Amino acid sequence: YKNGEPSKDCNWVNEFAPNRCGVKNKDATPAFEACLVACDTCPGSCNSQDSTTWYRAGDPSRGCDWVADSYPARCTRSNDDGVYGFESSACPYACRVCTYCDNDDSWALNNDEPEKNCNWVAEASQSRCTKSGIDLNGNITYAYQSCVDACRVCPNYGDCSDDDGWVKNNEDDDSRNCSWVASFPESRCLVKGTDSTDSDTYAFESCRVACSTC
């Protein structure tokens, strides 16, 4: 139910869905994750990919990748037709309504902050996927290696290939591409660059073979 208001449960959400599907409970879980029937976000309604044509009303540059960068806050934004980001025809994977794979539930930023887990990473993936943490076995890994769904690098998400157009940002030397990343992936997969569509991406997102993210 809505935080602090027990009478406002999934039935209440259903009365005015999808508008109320962005409301959160005391654990900050949005209704579109908990009230699956009311918000029409059951897994069976998943498409194979997020929409490539949905974008926030009035701004074509803010599509599903933009939504994924700040989950769940941006999932409640709608397009010009009133379709919210969390809906199955929009960005269900960016909004974690649908998943391609599972995160490592044991991963956390450190042992003293277990709440900073893969769900925490998903809330600001563009900045947190490059954080290093520790898993249940004491292995130190980057978030993009353990929080694969949160960082949208599931093995079956998109093409398993390196983007030939990706180059490191602010470099006149176009040799700093995915081949450059592959020669020292441990550190270079964290580098930010520009892909073949002129979008800002990390190497682990665009150089998937080089960074072993597929």
Side-chain angles (χ1 to χ4, degrees):
Y1 57 83
K2 182 180 179 181
N3 188 19
E5 300 183 65
S7 65
K8 294 185 176 180
D9 55 11
C10 288
N11 290 326
W12 172 80
V13 171
N14 188 54
E15 291 171 358
F16 200 46
N19 302 64
R20 291 176 178 170
C21 291
V23 172
K24 297 179 182 179
N25 68 2
K26 64 181 179 62
D27 298 318
T29 300
F32 64 76
E33 287 188 354
C35 305
L36 304 184
V37 175
C39 295
D40 192 24
T41 50
C42 293
S45 61
C46 293
N47 296 314
S48 60
Q49 296 277 353
D50 283 337
S51 172
T52 58
T53 58
W54 183 97
Y55 56 84
R56 183 182 178 180
D59 192 344
S61 68
R62 295 187 171 184
C64 290
D65 287 340
W66 172 81
V67 170
D69 292 344
S70 186
Y71 153 90
R74 294 175 179 171
C75 295
T76 57
R77 304 296 193 267
S78 62
N79 68 0
D80 290 325
D81 296 321
V83 177
Y84 289 90
F86 62 79
E87 296 190 56
S88 60
S89 62
C91 312
Y93 290 93
C95 292
R96 279 61 179 175
V97 171
C98 303
T99 59
Y100 287 105
C101 57
D102 295 323
N103 294 315
D104 180 350
D105 291 336
S106 71
W107 188 93
L109 191 64
N110 57 63
N111 290 328
D112 295 328
E113 298 178 283
E115 73 280 1
K116 292 187 176 180
N117 52 22
C118 289
N119 290 331
W120 173 80
V121 171
E123 291 172 358
S125 59
Q126 271 295 298
S127 59
R128 295 174 181 173
C129 285
T130 56
K131 302 292 186 183
S132 63
I134 190 168
D135 65 17
L136 187 63
N137 297 318
N139 299 313
I140 296 174
T141 66
Y142 289 106
Y144 78 82
Q145 296 172 311
S146 294
C147 305
V148 287
D149 184 55
C151 295
R152 293 162 65 82
V153 289
C154 291
N156 54 345
Y157 181 82
D159 295 329
C160 184
S161 62
D162 287 339
D163 183 344
D164 292 337
W166 187 92
V167 291
K168 182 183 177 184
N169 274 348
N170 302 317
E171 292 285 342
D172 294 329
D173 183 2
D174 61 7
S175 67
R176 296 199 172 185
N177 52 21
C178 289
S179 295
W180 172 79
V181 171
S183 65
F184 199 48
E186 186 63 25
S187 63
R188 293 177 180 172
C189 286
L190 304 176
V191 170
K192 208 165 196 179
T194 304
D195 67 14
S196 55
T197 66
D198 290 327
S199 298
D200 286 338
T201 65
Y202 285 103
F204 69 78
E205 297 175 292
S206 294
C207 305
R208 301 192 66 192
V209 175
C211 295
S212 300
T213 51
C214 61

